[in-house]
Amino acid sequence: MNVRMGLIRKKTDWSAEDFRSYWRDRHGPLAACAPGLRGYWQNAVTERLQRGIDFARGPWDFDGFSQLWFDDVEHADQAFKDGKLAADLVADERHFLGSLHIVTAEQRVVIEVPQPQARARLLKRISTLKRRPELSEDNFRREWKIHGDLVRKMPGVGAYRQNVVVARELVKGEPCGYEDLPIDGVVELWFENADTLQAAFSSRAGQTTMAHAKTFLDEITAFLVEEHRVA
């Protein structure tokens, strides 16, 4: 399945608490009505530190990441193009969001996410990736797949998913080029806690993994998030 991800900034005059509450309780149920939707999770940002990685941080500063699963790109596009729901969503987004970028991604599960009860106890980190400028999109995808096998060897990684970006909208509903939204992938990593995260990247396997990352990545921008399942 394809995942449509919203890269979200709240309005500056909204507190983090008010933003999260409105996103969860008001906007979430509205977006959950999208036709063909297979699943919907919200990820509210709780921290903006690189934790465990010595890597250039990109320019992105998001307050949340939405994830909506569809069977394919066509279903995802159609769900938000026309009709009353699409108009209602846009109106609601203008009410509480300062900006909203959209990426559509092909998701690869490297380490399966555990069942809900165990998942709820884990710490989650989402990171956006930008490839090195001399690297082609195809070469990025090949190297990232190799990178996934290295992450498997890191101790303490509870789950791991790669989201390879295949389409971009700097403004929702308006497809844009790579130069307008230069994000090649979105990483999802789960750990028991912050100490486990730090230990994973400090391990020998973690150091090998990050040495490889520097051969094909230009930027990693990391966020700790709090998950909420909407649908």
Side-chain angles (χ1 to χ4, degrees):
M1 286 193 293
N2 290 88
V3 57
R4 180 181 172 91
M5 303 187 71
L7 315 179
I8 293 169
R9 290 293 308 276
K10 66 179 179 64
K11 284 191 171 180
T12 55
D13 58 343
W14 281 58
S15 69
E17 293 75 15
D18 288 344
F19 159 72
R20 292 174 192 173
S21 176
Y22 189 92
W23 187 28
R24 181 185 64 241
D25 300 330
R26 299 288 298 276
H27 188 76
L30 181 63
C33 296
L37 183 68
R38 300 295 188 182
Y40 175 22
W41 286 73
Q42 296 175 344
N43 301 270
V45 171
T46 60
E47 182 185 278
R48 297 167 176 82
L49 297 176
Q50 295 293 76
R51 280 192 185 269
I53 57 175
D54 178 20
F55 227 97
R57 188 174 180 87
W60 314 112
D61 184 14
F62 301 121
D63 295 298
F65 298 83
S66 60
Q67 295 175 289
L68 297 94
W69 282 264
F70 295 88
D71 287 335
D72 50 45
V73 174
E74 289 73 22
H75 281 86
D77 288 343
Q78 192 60 40
F80 300 103
K81 269 191 176 177
D82 302 303
K84 185 177 185 304
L85 176 62
D88 289 346
L89 283 169
V90 169
D92 198 53
E93 287 156 1
R94 288 173 178 165
H95 173 64
F96 79 111
L97 297 185
S99 66
L100 171 61
H101 310 320
I102 302 290
V103 295
T104 301
E106 296 173 351
Q107 189 170 83
R108 175 173 178 250
V109 178
V110 182
I111 301 174
E112 287 281 355
V113 181
Q115 292 302 307
Q117 188 173 358
R119 178 176 182 167
R121 295 193 294 266
L122 296 180
L123 178 74
K124 183 177 181 181
R125 181 161 85 176
I126 287 182
S127 302
T128 62
L129 306 180
K130 180 183 177 183
R131 68 180 187 264
R132 291 176 64 94
E134 70 274 15
L135 208 68
S136 70
E137 185 175 346
D138 286 343
N139 285 338
F140 161 75
R141 294 183 181 190
R142 185 190 67 244
E143 290 299 324
W144 200 15
K145 190 171 183 180
I146 293 170
H147 191 74
D149 293 332
L150 296 175
V151 173
R152 286 179 187 272
K153 299 176 183 178
M154 291 170 54
V157 179
Y160 175 37
R161 295 194 300 213
Q162 297 177 340
N163 299 281
V164 180
V165 175
V166 296
R168 301 166 178 84
E169 301 168 29
L170 185 64
V171 176
K172 182 182 176 182
E174 300 179 15
C176 68
Y178 178 77
E179 63 280 359
D180 295 315
L181 191 56
I183 294 175
D184 294 278
V186 181
V187 181
E188 298 174 84
L189 280 166
W190 286 260
F191 300 90
E192 184 178 349
N193 52 44
D195 289 340
T196 307
L197 183 160
Q198 192 73 38
F201 285 100
S202 298
S203 68
R204 181 171 295 182
Q207 293 172 20
T208 299
T209 300
M210 294 316 297
H212 176 253
K214 291 184 177 181
T215 68
F216 76 104
L217 295 180
D218 191 39
E219 295 171 355
I220 301 176
T221 308
F223 305 84
L224 291 187
V225 299
E226 183 177 293
E227 289 189 301
H228 170 65
R229 183 176 185 177
V230 181

